[in-house]
Amino acid sequence: MKYFGTDGFRGAANEGLTVDHAFKIGRYVGWYYGARQERKARVVVGKDTRRSSYMFESALVAGLVASGADAYLLHVIPTPGVAYETVDGRFDCGIMISASHNPYTDNGIKLVNGEGYKMDEDVLELIEAFIDGEVDVPLATGDAIGCTVDYMQGRNRYIAHLIASANFSLQGVKVGLDCANGAASSVAKPVFDALGADVRVINNAPDGFNINVDCGSTHIDRLRRHVVEQGLDVGFAYDGDADRCLAVDERGNVVDGDLILYICGVYLNKHGRLTAGTVVPTVMSNYGLFKALDEASLSYETTAVGDKNVYACMRENGYSLGGEQSGHIIFGDIECTGDGIMTSLRVMEVYRAEREKLSQLAAPVKLYPQELVNVRVADKDAAMGDAGVLDSVKRAEEFLTGQGRVLVRASGTEPLVRVLAEAPTDELCKQANAIVLEALEPHRA
């Protein structure tokens, strides 16, 4: 794919991703789902809080209605909210404007089909061909031109869906929420308020520039301090578009995606709700998770990195739980994409039912030390294909002599090569990574 990566079309606003791109995406999508089939398409559009999201929303909507589609605006909403409302509102497809955990200077366009899944690659390839001028589609005229609909009730229905999914009360529970000054800012607190929790929120005053800045799931230290200083029972941190969630226990310790998979997997299996007794993590999950799952008599099937790959495995095999260490967790019985707020509710379900502190629920998992280094490179494909780099990975694994592992992969959304070492000690991790980092040095940007 030329423009669309593992998580949509992403780039620096008006540099890698421009308003022209957005307009053309809207143009093609509006025609593909509408006039191409001699009908009027209905497309739902959401966005996060970064300043350029409003610009891209306008460009997308202009393209959609110019091709004859009706555009329904959800305004600021989490990415999973767009996926939910696409299905619930029976739209032809959904579009989310967000660069997730990236800085405000970046943005992205994510597409989901009418079933709420990430858009099929064959459709994305057609959109790319239109962007590059290889094909053309007609403009709508007269009464065939589409309209724009203010669709705030769609966001309200999504909030109601989250609340309805929780059959428990959080009365008396002190919960901290870090909304990353992003899409969760207008959704998370109302949900926890409705369940009776004593909610203490931070980073929920977006100004267009502060999304993900020293906050949220990628910068969790502030929430850790908040939980301890306020004497809270639990804390949850979301990323910019709220499809990720990490937790913090009452001691201020991070409960990452691996630990959430364990906590929820054991609970669901106990109640006969874990299909085939199997959890679906990625190859990046900690060895300690795999060991703890073995000890809990649970099976697991690993996938390549990316929630798209996790869900593909879950869908193909009918599995009900999967996710990533970064906090993308998918509960296959109720959703088809990661939803950070839903994940926090499922953790609270276990918390209430088991009547144990979060630290106790996570205690059986003994995580191995990991060191992840992101190397910005000029050409990630060239770096990943370099014989010297490939050889360095083998040498790093030999250095660990079966005590750990080294994983090297290219980012799907950024010009980065990610180098991960996992070993019994931090020092061994650093030494193993150093072998690979030296080989990557000529490729640095």
Side-chain angles (χ1 to χ4, degrees):
M1 303 294 287
K2 180 177 179 180
Y3 299 112
F4 289 90
T6 57
D7 202 19
F9 186 161
R10 192 176 295 185
N14 272 347
E15 295 179 40
L17 172 64
T18 70
V19 287
D20 291 332
H21 291 135
F23 177 71
K24 289 179 179 179
I25 291 171
R27 283 272 286 118
Y28 194 86
V29 167
W31 172 82
Y32 181 85
Y33 285 101
R36 182 182 70 93
Q37 305 173 53
E38 298 184 345
R39 57 187 293 273
K40 181 171 285 294
R42 297 172 65 250
V43 180
V44 65
V45 181
K47 64 176 180 284
D48 70 15
T49 58
R50 64 195 75 218
R51 173 163 289 194
S52 63
S53 291
Y54 296 79
M55 172 182 73
F56 286 119
E57 178 186 60
S58 297
L60 273 166
V61 169
L64 287 167
V65 300
S67 287
D70 290 343
Y72 289 71
L73 304 188
L74 290 165
H75 303 287
V76 174
I77 190 173
T79 292
V82 172
Y84 172 79
E85 193 51 38
T86 299
V87 177
D88 187 62
R90 298 182 180 180
F91 290 93
D92 293 298
C93 72
I95 304 177
M96 178 65 184
I97 303 161
S98 175
S100 188
H101 58 283
N102 284 24
Y104 83 91
T105 50
D106 291 351
N107 218 320
I109 296 175
K110 307 179 185 183
L111 304 176
V112 297
N113 63 23
E115 297 177 292
Y117 306 132
K118 291 188 176 181
M119 189 69 74
D120 300 330
E121 288 195 3
D122 57 345
V123 179
L124 297 179
E125 288 172 354
L126 293 172
I127 296 171
E128 291 192 348
F130 178 70
I131 290 173
D132 285 340
E134 296 173 11
V135 296
D136 195 16
V137 298
L139 287 163
T141 58
D143 59 7
I145 294 173
C147 69
T148 303
V149 180
D150 192 318
Y151 195 56
M152 284 290 291
Q153 65 263 40
R155 187 175 73 180
N156 294 337
R157 284 213 295 267
Y158 170 61
I159 292 173
H161 157 68
L162 291 170
I163 295 168
S165 73
N167 60 351
F168 52 86
S169 168
L170 294 179
Q171 195 72 38
V173 182
K174 293 179 286 185
V175 179
L177 300 176
D178 183 343
C179 294
N181 293 312
S185 297
S186 59
V187 176
K189 188 176 187 299
V191 171
F192 278 85
D193 282 342
L195 296 175
D198 178 358
V199 187
R200 317 287 178 84
V201 187
I202 58 175
N203 302 313
N204 66 329
D207 62 9
F209 303 107
N210 60 3
I211 185 171
N212 299 317
V213 176
D214 297 325
C215 59
S217 62
T218 52
H219 301 88
I220 202 167
D221 284 346
R222 186 174 172 189
L223 178 63
R224 296 176 67 186
R225 294 193 299 270
H226 182 64
V227 168
V228 174
E229 291 169 0
Q230 296 290 319
L232 307 183
D233 298 305
V234 62
F236 295 106
Y238 310 111
D239 64 337
D241 67 336
D243 62 353
R244 297 187 192 188
C245 170
L246 295 183
V248 172
D249 70 21
E250 74 286 353
R251 300 172 180 171
N253 297 315
V254 176
V255 177
D256 67 10
D258 284 347
L259 293 172
I260 290 172
L261 280 177
Y262 175 82
I263 291 168
C264 293
V266 170
Y267 174 78
L268 292 173
N269 189 59
K270 176 181 176 180
H271 293 277
R273 292 162 53 191
L274 186 68
T275 305
T278 300
V279 177
V280 183
T282 75
V283 294
M284 293 287 281
S285 283
N286 194 285
Y287 176 74
L289 169 64
F290 302 133
K291 187 174 180 180
L293 291 174
D294 286 336
E295 292 173 353
S297 298
L298 298 184
S299 301
Y300 50 87
E301 185 169 337
T302 59
T303 74
V305 172
D307 59 327
K308 182 177 182 178
N309 297 315
V310 171
Y311 189 69
C313 177
M314 292 174 63
R315 190 179 183 191
E316 180 180 350
N317 298 286
Y319 298 139
S320 53
L321 178 65
E324 300 185 279
Q325 190 180 64
S326 61
H328 278 121
I329 310 295
I330 303 172
F331 295 86
D333 57 336
I334 53 176
E335 59 190 7
C336 55
T337 188
D339 185 330
I341 299 172
M342 181 66 78
T343 296
S344 56
L345 293 176
R346 299 286 68 81
V347 171
M348 293 311 299
E349 177 184 348
V350 182
Y351 177 91
R352 285 308 250 174
E354 297 300 309
R355 299 184 181 279
E356 289 187 322
K357 295 179 179 180
L358 193 55
S359 61
Q360 295 172 308
L361 294 170
V365 185
K366 308 300 181 186
L367 297 178
Y368 269 41
Q370 291 182 323
E371 183 183 67
L372 175 63
V373 180
N374 294 318
V375 181
R376 187 167 292 274
V377 295
D379 185 332
K380 58 188 176 184
D381 292 328
M384 291 299 297
D386 187 305
V389 172
L390 296 174
D391 179 66
S392 72
V393 176
K394 293 180 181 179
R395 288 188 287 112
E397 290 177 338
E398 290 171 357
F399 167 75
L400 293 175
T401 60
Q403 298 182 77
R405 59 176 183 154
V406 175
L407 289 173
V408 179
R409 69 178 185 89
S411 168
T413 58
E414 300 175 86
L416 302 174
V417 171
R418 306 190 193 280
V419 183
L420 172 75
E422 188 174 54
T425 68
D426 291 328
E427 184 58 31
L428 283 173
C429 288
K430 291 182 183 297
Q431 292 174 358
N433 266 352
I435 297 171
V436 181
L437 295 176
E438 182 180 4
L440 281 170
E441 195 63 32
H443 296 278
R444 284 185 181 270

